[in-house]
Amino acid sequence: MKISLGPLQYYWQRDVVFNFYEAMGQTAVDVVYLGEAVCSRRHELRLADWLDIAALLKKAGKEVVLSTQVLLESGAEVGTMHKITGNGEFAVEANDMGAVQCLNGKGPFVAGPHLNIYNLPTLQWMAGLGANRWVIPLEMKRSDLAVIQADRPAGLETEVFAYGRMPLAFSARCFTARQRNLPKDDCRFSCLDHPDGLMLKTREHEGFLVLNGTQTQSAKVYNLVDALDDMRSLGVDVVRLSPQSQNMADVVAVFDAARKHTLSPQDALARLQPLMPFEGCNGYWHGQPGLDQVHSDALAEQD
């Protein structure tokens, strides 16, 4: 089972991004997804910069995949997508059907989680277009994945989002700018002030959602480190960790130890608690509301 690092969801300063990926090159991560998947106004890094980082990570022995933007709204964004899909060196993760169309018949690609592949016929169709890996939708439960895995196309890898704040929705509006009474086109790059997103709380002062520009995330951190053996039994090939601004190398180390069985599932959970920016959840995997935390004792009772 491989560990991947998903595309950076947040807006960080250029030197911070370069330092982050330099550090990730020294970790046990096997696959790294690069690129701006959220908002094209984030200009700290251009495509040439992402390609420079890709070259550094490739030299460090990592598999590199370039991710396309999820929600395209302008001709310039479509043009960038065409440049990414036609880069000619690195594999591409398609996060919308326009990218899939560009990649169709031009070699293998990764079908991203935002393509919403929920059933076997859709997965077979995507494999026929050239996908050699798919990332399951965030809310897909274990039992549904098991059905698909039983008959998935030959040679197709399955990847599961296993750690990080969940990207729940994308919008044409920028909620981080709106919170400051700024228009999207004059956002003053407000996201730079929130390296792990802006927490949105309920009237009871409980963390509910995280605002990340045009993206809305879960406040809780999705964490399936205790389900790695279960995923392995289902034939899952890759587990995806989503970048966070602090402790990311330590998070990778815990997942690496858990997959190698040098840490028990319970010990891995305990090790991750102080490393997470907020409390954890795992409900979707178990067929429960996503913000629920299903504990091992409850699972034993179900069995």
Side-chain angles (χ1 to χ4, degrees), residues 29-42:
V29 162
D30 303 290
V31 185
V32 182
Y33 292 81
L34 297 174
E36 180 53 60
V38 177
C39 178
S40 63
R41 284 187 56 78
R42 297 176 174 181

Side-chain angles (χ1 to χ4, degrees), residues 3 5 12 19-29 163 241-257 272 275:
I3 295 175
L5 188 67
W12 298 346
N19 291 338
F20 175 81
Y21 284 108
E22 183 178 0
M24 290 300 102
Q26 307 303 313
T27 69
V29 162
Y163 179 86
L241 318 183
S242 190
Q244 61 188 39
S245 66
Q246 303 293 323
N247 305 315
M248 197 64 219
D250 294 330
V251 170
V252 173
V254 172
F255 270 84
D256 184 42
L272 284 176
L275 304 177

Side-chain angles (χ1 to χ4, degrees), residues 120-163:
L120 187 59
T122 302
L123 184 61
Q124 291 170 332
W125 174 64
M126 196 63 63
L129 297 178
N132 66 342
R133 181 185 301 155
W134 72 300
V135 187
I136 75 170
L138 296 172
E139 65 271 30
M140 180 174 283
K141 58 186 177 181
R142 179 207 182 279
S143 58
D144 288 347
L145 177 60
V147 172
I148 294 176
Q149 287 290 90
D151 293 302
R152 67 171 166 171
L156 184 71
E157 291 186 334
T158 297
E159 183 169 347
V160 174
F161 185 98
Y163 179 86

Side-chain angles (χ1 to χ4, degrees), residues 65-272:
V65 183
L66 301 180
S67 296
T68 66
Q69 191 172 324
V70 175
L71 181 62
L72 302 178
E73 299 181 76
S74 70
E77 292 171 352
V78 173
T80 299
M81 182 267 287
H82 279 280
K83 291 178 182 178
I84 293 172
T85 57
N87 78 90
E89 181 177 0
F90 298 102
V92 175
E93 176 186 50
N95 281 310
D96 86 313
M97 288 305 299
V100 171
Q101 180 64 32
C102 289
L103 293 163
N104 181 14
K106 298 180 180 179
F109 64 90
V110 179
H114 307 291
L115 295 181
N116 298 324
I117 301 170
Y118 288 100
N119 55 59
L120 187 59
T122 302
L123 184 61
Q124 291 170 332
W125 174 64
M126 196 63 63
L129 297 178
N132 66 342
R133 181 185 301 155
W134 72 300
V135 187
I136 75 170
L138 296 172
E139 65 271 30
M140 180 174 283
K141 58 186 177 181
R142 179 207 182 279
S143 58
D144 288 347
L145 177 60
V147 172
I148 294 176
Q149 287 290 90
D151 293 302
R152 67 171 166 171
L156 184 71
E157 291 186 334
T158 297
E159 183 169 347
V160 174
F161 185 98
Y163 179 86
R165 283 185 163 136
M166 295 177 285
L168 300 175
F170 293 82
S171 172
R173 294 183 176 182
C174 176
F175 299 110
T176 306
R178 194 175 183 87
Q179 187 264 345
R180 294 186 174 183
N181 294 318
L182 296 172
K184 179 182 178 181
D185 292 338
D186 186 25
C187 66
R188 303 177 192 175
F189 308 109
S190 301
C191 290
L192 282 172
D193 296 331
H194 306 286
D196 287 300
L198 175 62
M199 180 71 75
L200 177 65
K201 296 184 177 180
T202 66
R203 290 184 176 180
E204 293 75 28
H205 305 290
E206 296 179 352
F208 175 50
L209 297 170
V210 163
L211 305 181
N212 181 38
T214 58
Q215 181 192 69
T216 302
Q217 299 180 322
S218 62
K220 291 186 176 181
V221 178
Y222 201 53
N223 182 8
L224 299 181
V225 71
D226 59 336
L228 295 188
D229 285 342
D230 190 20
M231 292 185 204
R232 188 179 282 113
S233 71
L234 292 177
V236 171
D237 303 280
V238 187
V239 290
R240 174 176 293 202
L241 318 183
S242 190
Q244 61 188 39
S245 66
Q246 303 293 323
N247 305 315
M248 197 64 219
D250 294 330
V251 170
V252 173
V254 172
F255 270 84
D256 184 42
R259 71 171 168 173
K260 293 178 178 177
H261 298 117
T262 56
L263 269 182
S264 69
Q266 293 75 22
D267 288 342
L269 274 175
R271 290 278 186 93
L272 284 176

